Amino acid sequence: MYVNLLFWYQFFCGFSGHTMTNSWVLIFFNLLFTSVPPIIYGVLDKDVPGETLLDLPDLYKSGQKSQ
């Protein structure tokens, strides 16, 4: 979506090379979309205890199949 916005902005500027955003905006954009989702996934990811897997074998099967 961001690349599409930059593409149409260049038509608006007449391909002058003028930047649409400051460099700090690009830094925060990359920070938000490349580092925050893996951090959230790592914090929220939990291993299932062995007792639960023994009680619910369907969970174990779906893990083996990467579902």
Side-chain angles (χ1 to χ4, degrees):
M1 187 165 90
Y2 187 71
V3 172
N4 192 19
L5 183 65
L6 290 174
F7 177 75
W8 290 110
Y9 180 75
Q10 288 303 317
F11 281 110
F12 178 73
C13 289
F15 296 96
S16 67
H18 186 274
T19 59
M20 185 178 72
T21 57
N22 295 334
S23 61
W24 60 270
V25 173
L26 294 175
I27 291 171
F28 285 122
F29 177 81
N30 286 331
L31 178 71
L32 180 67
F33 287 107
T34 60
S35 66
V36 173
I39 290 172
I40 291 173
Y41 181 75
V43 168
L44 298 178
D45 189 28
K46 295 181 182 177
D47 289 333
V48 180
E51 295 83 20
T52 305
L53 290 175
L54 289 174
D55 293 339
L56 302 169
D58 291 337
L59 292 176
Y60 185 70
K61 290 177 184 175
S62 65
Q64 285 181 332
K65 295 178 182 178
S66 298
Q67 294 177 342

